[in-house]
Amino acid sequence: MDQCIFCKIAERAIPSKVVFENEHVLAFEDLHPQALTHILVIPKKHIATLNDATAEDQSLLGEVILAATEIAKDRRISTSGYRLVANTMAGAGQSVFHIHFHLLGGRSLAWPPG
Ligand code: 5GP
Ligand code: ZN
């Protein structure tokens, strides 16, 4: 996707602080962190929203989530607690239309979210 900012980050056309990468998944620091740990975990494949994922993406999305749990362990927030959030569509706050999970931790997180 030519105009997608996260595809460009995955291709390294836009710089970011990468914290994890494998064949299918990339994770990088959020530009505007909302917690001590705020990492975005994305599939390298362009999928605009969770609504657009299909059965073909089942293992890919599993890989993304498992990568996030490994990063949480590395960051030592797996026992203190973290949140994995995929804002989906504008009404939920999605501003970049390439699936991403926010990995948030390192502070106490209120519930329900706003
Ligand atoms: P959303 O609002 O779609 O749930 O989350 C998009 C996230 O991407 C936001 O938290 C925003 O700070 C982050 N973001 C937007 N542009 C960039 C960028 O160019 N680089 C990085 N590292 N994060 C970005
Ligand atoms: Zn994309």
Side-chain angles (χ1 to χ4, degrees):
M1 278 300 231
D2 288 355
Q3 296 310 313
C4 173
I5 199 168
F6 286 177
C7 283
K8 286 183 179 166
I9 284 175
E11 292 160 7
R12 304 301 208 277
I14 293 177
S16 71
K17 291 183 186 164
V18 171
V19 300
F20 173 89
E21 179 170 23
N22 69 18
E23 191 185 350
H24 301 122
V25 179
L26 186 75
F28 51 96
E29 303 277 358
D30 194 291
L31 201 55
H32 302 292
Q34 302 300 315
L36 214 56
T37 295
H38 188 174
I39 291 166
L40 299 172
V41 192
I42 69 167
K44 289 183 176 176
K45 176 184 175 184
H46 181 86
I47 309 170
T49 80
L50 285 179
N51 293 331
D52 301 298
T54 67
E56 190 182 292
D57 303 311
Q58 185 164 319
S59 74
L60 174 61
L61 292 176
E63 237 186 283
V64 172
I65 291 172
L66 287 176
T69 67
E70 288 304 316
I71 297 163
K73 286 174 198 159
D74 286 349
R75 293 289 171 123
R76 303 193 184 286
I77 56 171
S78 59
T79 52
S80 57
Y82 61 88
R83 192 166 289 161
L84 198 58
V85 183
N87 296 326
T88 301
M89 306 304 279
Q94 185 173 9
S95 61
V96 177
F97 284 77
H98 177 132
I99 288 178
H100 51 284
F101 289 86
H102 297 258
L103 172 61
L104 294 152
R107 66 168 170 86
S108 75
L109 298 164
W111 191 263

